Amino acid sequence: MSIMPLMFRSLLRLISSIVYDPTAALTTLLYYSDLLPRNLNLERLVRRDLLDQENYLFHFLINVLRCF
């Protein structure tokens, strides 16, 4: 299998999550990159379904944000 379809699918998932629910997508990115405090109010906005194995770009963004 080529890498291009995997990245394209991941890109579509990332863009669709940001367009349809930007607050939850941004909160999930910041929460798992440890830039937001761990608290129950923020955990309600976190979407764990964005963290499945095939969402490569989402994981990449989380790891890049962990560097800051």
Side-chain angles (χ1 to χ4, degrees), residues 21 23-28 31 36 39-48 50:
D21 199 2
T23 306
L26 185 65
T27 304
T28 304
Y31 186 80
L36 285 179
N39 117 8
L40 292 175
N41 293 331
L42 293 175
E43 282 187 31
R44 292 183 205 148
L45 294 174
V46 173
R47 291 184 46 202
R48 285 164 182 60
L50 293 175

Side-chain angles (χ1 to χ4, degrees), residues 2-55:
S2 173
I3 194 165
M4 196 62 167
L6 294 174
M7 288 298 149
F8 186 69
R9 189 177 327 147
S10 181
L11 179 66
L12 285 177
R13 289 191 65 192
L14 179 65
I15 291 172
S16 67
S17 66
I18 291 173
V19 167
Y20 292 120
D21 199 2
T23 306
L26 185 65
T27 304
T28 304
L29 275 173
L30 294 175
Y31 186 80
Y32 282 107
S33 61
D34 296 328
L35 294 175
L36 285 179
R38 302 286 171 156
N39 117 8
L40 292 175
N41 293 331
L42 293 175
E43 282 187 31
R44 292 183 205 148
L45 294 174
V46 173
R47 291 184 46 202
R48 285 164 182 60
D49 60 328
L50 293 175
L51 295 174
D52 62 344
Q53 289 294 332
E54 290 189 6
N55 207 349

